[in-house]
Amino acid sequence: MADQQVVIIGSGPAGLTAALYAARGNLKPLLIEGLEAGGQLMLTTMVDNWPGFRDGIMGPDLMAEMRAQAMRFGTEILESDVATVDVRQRPFTLVMGNGRRITTGALVIATGASARWLEIGSDRKLAGHGVSTCATCDGYFFKGRPIAVVGGGDSAMEEAIYLTKFASKVTVVHRRETLRASKIMQDKAFANPKIDFIWESEVADVKDVGKGEVTGIVVRHLKTGQLRELPLDGVFIAIGHTPNTALFTGQIDLDANGYIVTHHGTRTNVPGVFAAGDVQDHVYRQAVTAAGSGCMAAIDAERYLEGLPQGAGETQHTVA
Ligand code: NAP
């Protein structure tokens, strides 16, 4: 007999929505919050694309509301991190960072994905104050202002093109002399008169001149080492995301980029293990889509625990 019926790992919109639905389904879920409680929205300021808040809501406030709502229906929240997970045997076993062992009949993985940062210090320090990793979330704040996008892949081109709807000028800073992005995205970016490029260069520093808001970047040419300062108001870092799936490697099917593979909703290849949010979605990556898949995962878990048919396409547990 397991300690828990459902354990949810992760406390972003996917995890907390799964908890809300599982709690309302009387499954008394345990949600393990993780070290980055609240997920990526904790790094955002105003969220204007969460339905229901016509004037927007601050990211941390939205997460606090979701957490309180999940608790209101009986979700137990553990402010802890998971050290190991074993889904090879039932019930599934989780060991916390402090050594506590928990067993569960069903598991929802909502550990998210982490945007990659430049790791130059000033980029993280000014996150939410002109530095962003999400154009859809924050582009609107840069109406009529000059900004930079860092990266040369599809995400960077997509964000640069999207941001031209708001910004007066978008400067793409890329470390090589050619883009990694697909030809069609490159063509679109090159054809956009608001986008220009700084090649073979990296962002060495993000400046705020004591204002607490971005005032410019320092760009280093990688071949000559020459530094130059570019005055601008925003920096969008689009150098990829890393799904937080290290705990599950070798136990759950992951795609080539490390994202959990889901079938028919939120089911993984291991019956009883479900995945929701950015850990299984590198396409939409929105808070509202993550929350939607969290709802689906809770319903899928409830049906699994009730022994209801899971439908066609379920595969048996395999270890990669
Ligand atoms: P990506 O393809 O891995 O590209 C990351 C880019 O960031 C590369 O240009 C890379 O430079 C650069 N980069 C990585 N680390 C860096 C660092 N520390 N400093 C400076 N630059 C750095 O990631 P992505 O663009 O997020 O795309 C991920 C996947 O999603 C891809 O398969 C992509 O095709 C797909 N995607 C598709 C679409 C679409 O079709 N609409 C949109 C978005 C994403 P290098 O080129 O030098 O490695």
Side-chain angles (χ1 to χ4, degrees), residues 7-10 30-35 78-86 93-100 102 107-108 111 246-248:
V7 167
I8 297 155
I9 313 178
L30 174 72
L31 181 140
I32 301 164
E33 205 161 41
L35 291 179
L78 204 58
E79 292 173 15
S80 180
D81 204 31
V82 180
T84 62
V85 174
D86 186 352
T93 305
L94 294 86
V95 179
M96 303 297 105
N98 63 6
R100 179 177 165 191
I102 294 165
L107 180 66
V108 175
T111 46
L247 282 171
F248 314 106

Side-chain angles (χ1 to χ4, degrees), residues 168-242:
S168 55
K169 183 178 169 188
V170 176
T171 302
V172 173
V173 181
H174 182 40
R175 63 186 179 183
R176 291 192 293 148
E177 58 184 342
T178 52
L179 296 174
R180 174 185 292 272
S182 55
K183 171 97 172 52
I184 185 164
M185 296 295 276
Q186 295 197 26
D187 290 348
K188 276 188 182 168
F190 290 143
N192 192 312
K194 275 192 173 177
I195 301 178
D196 64 11
F197 291 82
I198 298 181
W199 302 104
E200 297 180 291
S201 298
E202 64 182 8
V203 175
D205 200 9
V206 184
K207 294 283 189 192
D208 69 342
V209 292
K211 287 186 174 168
E213 295 285 335
V214 169
T215 55
I217 54 175
V218 177
V219 175
R220 179 189 294 119
H221 192 276
L222 290 168
K223 288 215 172 114
T224 63
Q226 195 185 0
L227 296 173
R228 68 160 148 151
E229 202 163 329
L230 214 66
L232 41 74
D233 293 343
V235 184
F236 286 80
I237 300 170
I239 60 172
H241 282 76
T242 308

